[in-house]
Amino acid sequence: MTASNQKRFTIWTTITLLIMAVFVVFLLYPLVLVLYKSVVSPTNGGFSLEYFQKFFGQKYYWGTLVNSFQVTTCATLLSVLLGLPIAYFTRSTKILGRGALEIAIIISYLSPPFIGAYAWIQLLGRQGVITKVLNAIFHTQFNGIYGFTGILLVFTLQSFPLIYIYISGALKRLDNSLNEAAESLGCTGIKRIVKVVMPLIMPTILASALLVFMRIFADFGTPMLIGEGYRTIPVLIYNQFISEVGSDDGFAAALSVIVIIVTTVIFLVQKLISSHTAYSMSALKPMEPQRVSGVKNILIHVFVYLTVILAILPQIVVIYTSFLKNNGGQVFTGGYSLQSYKAIFAEGQSEVIRNTYLFGLGAIAIIIVLGILIAYLTIRKKNIITSILDTITMFPYIIPGSVLGISLLFAFSNPPLLLSGTAIIMIISFAIRRMPYTIRSSTAILGQISPSVEEAAISLGSSQMQAFIKVTVPMMLPGVLSGAIMSWITAISELSSSVILYGHNTQTLTVAIYTAVVRGNFGTAAAYSSVLTITSIISLILFFKLSGSREISV
């Protein structure tokens, strides 16, 4: 080996190749298996497009894809229509109790969508509290908000907070002198927002809308609980893979390939649009909230408060329901009791909570270590290999959890790597699926750290690795913490992959909640949901304390 080759092959080259190997084994290899199984004939084992012909040849199947696009598109648009004005109002207008509202918005976003579905069933289901009141007052026979309407309601109220978080951050970076210049030229009110503000934050709107679209499109729990006859593609994939009668792994693989293609195309289109509409903003004069009076002030407060209350209502309902007396968790008998909590903390039941925390912590440890290393490699050690690694690590960003779960089972259900039903495969799934949060935040913070800091440490006698560990990593911690808290909260709230991968001894809170709701054990489901909600709130408070920030980035 020549001296130049020795110089190029450093410890960072070894780390890059090791991380690449991890993603090849636990992400690319499983996805390749999914593709392989989707084109293998079930009769002779040869190459065949039979599964794809089956999907596109029967409306029963391709109609689920149409349904997914319909509900996802509508919910995404409604989320933008709610999140955009609320973000603008809270940034430009003095809103009473703005801090509490922002925390409520964040909490409503951090809760899994299927918990919102369960809560709205309690309110507007066939036997829901509000349903009974409406039927009694208006003498109607309202049968609940199931199907398209129910799914749309849950997804919209649960997704607009993400739009709010992104756009609020963009407005914070907006230079208010642009608004003042527009007003001086006679461009005021709605016209100024449409002509000046929206074009500047359009990349952020598109990015947040993409995240919402991907999240809704891939969600399994909400349409499964509240959709009834309105079938979506994630539910079809789950039923084809898990169904006790007529399950078909090959067809499930073909469905997964179709979903991957769809989400990839949408992701690339959004990237293309964003690249042509990007603006660089530096808030020399940030937007300051202004006091508004009269009818306009009342209307703004009513709109903001009503929307936030509806968004946080599922969490309130779940916590309240968890304290109601019940008969075996299924029928609420009136009065209050801790019996639901006694049931979930009883011997043999509390392992669900323990599993959630242990798997989440295990995944976070992996995420933080790999997230920091990947961010450093892609920013400081740019080459063709790190560029490929950067692309690969973004795959989980666009792959639905159910597809990832199926791919991991295809890959690791047989020796020599028999991981199905184990804690290891759950931790791997959580880590891979939620790593992009930490990678993005770590990359963003590292981009703000000058390389000259490391160079100074090296000039004083430190090796590259020592400079990285002792200088760079501590400076990266704020960004890493922001991404890690989001990775942690979303990991413990993960259902789509968990419901496919879990075994008898590896059930998590989300799986336990889903199972309890399906079985009608609403008291148990409420108690488990409350534990998950409170965990998310405590995690959020801890983040605020450690970071010294009152905002969270995603």
Side-chain angles (χ1 to χ4, degrees), residues 498-510:
S498 301
V499 77
I500 290 175
L501 293 172
Y502 84 97
H504 178 69
N505 296 318
T506 58
Q507 197 175 33
T508 59
L509 273 171
T510 52

Side-chain angles (χ1 to χ4, degrees), residues 188-234:
T188 60
I190 298 295
K191 184 178 179 181
R192 175 173 55 82
I193 295 173
V194 173
K195 295 284 187 179
V196 178
V197 177
M198 287 189 63
L200 290 172
I201 63 173
M202 186 56 67
T204 302
I205 295 174
L206 292 173
S208 58
L210 171 71
L211 281 178
V212 167
F213 190 98
M214 294 291 190
R215 191 183 194 207
I216 295 174
F217 188 82
D219 187 84
F220 151 80
T222 300
M224 191 72 172
L225 291 178
I226 206 172
E228 291 198 341
Y230 196 86
R231 302 178 308 276
T232 60
I233 193 76

Side-chain angles (χ1 to χ4, degrees), residues 470-484:
K470 294 182 178 181
V471 178
T472 307
V473 170
M475 296 179 70
M476 289 176 63
L477 283 181
V480 174
L481 178 63
S482 176

Side-chain angles (χ1 to χ4, degrees), residues 408-485:
L408 289 173
L409 282 186
F410 281 159
F412 304 114
S413 291
N414 298 295
L417 282 177
L418 180 57
L419 301 177
S420 59
T422 66
I424 295 175
I425 200 169
M426 298 289 285
I427 293 172
I428 290 171
S429 172
F430 289 170
I432 290 176
R433 182 135 165 77
R434 301 306 177 183
M435 194 174 295
Y437 286 109
T438 301
I439 293 176
R440 286 205 315 274
S441 61
S442 300
T443 301
I445 196 71
L446 184 60
Q448 300 173 17
I449 300 173
S450 174
S452 61
V453 178
E454 286 180 68
E455 294 169 358
I458 294 172
S459 68
L460 293 173
S462 296
S463 64
Q464 283 192 4
M465 183 59 68
Q466 288 174 331
F468 167 71
I469 295 174
K470 294 182 178 181
V471 178
T472 307
V473 170
M475 296 179 70
M476 289 176 63
L477 283 181
V480 174
L481 178 63
S482 176
I485 197 71

Side-chain angles (χ1 to χ4, degrees), residues 298-444:
I298 294 173
L299 291 176
I300 289 174
H301 275 79
V302 169
F303 172 71
V304 173
Y305 268 85
L306 180 60
T307 306
V308 174
I309 288 172
L310 288 175
I312 200 69
L313 188 58
Q315 284 71 41
I316 297 173
V317 170
V318 162
I319 294 175
Y320 173 77
T321 305
S322 69
F323 290 103
L324 296 179
K325 284 184 180 180
N326 56 75
N327 181 14
Q330 296 185 337
V331 180
F332 297 114
T333 58
Y336 301 95
S337 171
L338 293 176
Q339 66 183 101
S340 295
Y341 289 98
K342 291 177 181 177
I344 67 170
F345 285 107
E347 186 176 353
Q349 299 299 317
S350 60
E351 68 177 13
V352 169
I353 302 172
R354 185 193 65 213
N355 287 345
T356 302
Y357 292 157
L358 289 178
F359 298 166
L361 290 173
I364 286 302
I366 296 172
I367 287 171
I368 289 175
V369 173
L370 290 184
I372 290 174
L373 290 173
I374 292 169
Y376 187 82
L377 289 169
T378 55
I379 296 296
R380 293 285 195 264
K381 308 292 180 181
K382 289 183 179 180
N383 55 52
I384 187 169
I385 299 178
T386 57
S387 297
I388 294 172
L389 179 62
D390 185 37
T391 302
I392 292 174
T393 55
M394 288 305 294
F395 279 4
Y397 183 76
I398 59 176
I399 297 174
S402 55
V403 173
L404 179 62
I406 290 172
S407 68
L408 289 173
L409 282 186
F410 281 159
F412 304 114
S413 291
N414 298 295
L417 282 177
L418 180 57
L419 301 177
S420 59
T422 66
I424 295 175
I425 200 169
M426 298 289 285
I427 293 172
I428 290 171
S429 172
F430 289 170
I432 290 176
R433 182 135 165 77
R434 301 306 177 183
M435 194 174 295
Y437 286 109
T438 301
I439 293 176
R440 286 205 315 274
S441 61
S442 300
T443 301

